[in-house]
Amino acid sequence: MNLQIQFGLRVRQLRKEQGLSQEALAFKAEIDRTYMTSVENGKRNVAIQNIDRIINALEIPVHEFFNSEIFISK
C-alpha cells in the first residue's frame, strides 16, 4: 500500500471517528471538498502545507496522526 493511500485512509478514519463529513473537514482545513475526496481516495500527492492543514483541522498532534496501524503495517 503506498503512502498516498495510507494517508487517505487515516484521514477518513479520523474524520469518521469525529463524526465529520468530508465537506465539514474540508471547510475546517480551508481546502476544497473535491480535493478532500481525492485525498481520502489516495488520488492526491498531498503538499506538506495541505497535510498540515488537514491534521490541524482534525485537531490531532502530528505524531498521533502517523502513529497508526495504517502506517506501521505496510
Side-chain angles (χ1 to χ4, degrees), residues 2 4-9 11-12 15 22 33-44:
N2 73 34
Q4 287 174 210
I5 293 171
Q6 290 171 308
F7 183 82
L9 289 172
V11 170
R12 180 177 290 138
R15 175 182 62 77
Q22 281 184 343
R33 183 200 52 80
T34 59
Y35 183 89
M36 184 63 70
T37 299
S38 61
V39 167
E40 286 192 8
N41 289 327
K43 305 291 183 190
R44 287 278 178 177

Side-chain angles (χ1 to χ4, degrees), residues 56-73:
N56 283 331
L58 289 165
E59 300 175 5
I60 184 170
V62 173
H63 72 276
E64 283 185 33
F65 180 90
F66 288 104
N67 187 21
S68 166
E69 288 296 317
I70 291 171
F71 296 106
I72 296 169
S73 61

Side-chain angles (χ1 to χ4, degrees), residues 7 11 29-32 35-36 39 44-57:
F7 183 82
V11 170
E30 299 179 349
I31 60 176
D32 188 80
Y35 183 89
M36 184 63 70
V39 167
R44 287 278 178 177
N45 186 7
V46 186
I48 194 75
Q49 294 89 348
N50 288 333
I51 291 172
D52 184 55
R53 286 178 175 185
I54 292 167
I55 293 174
N56 283 331

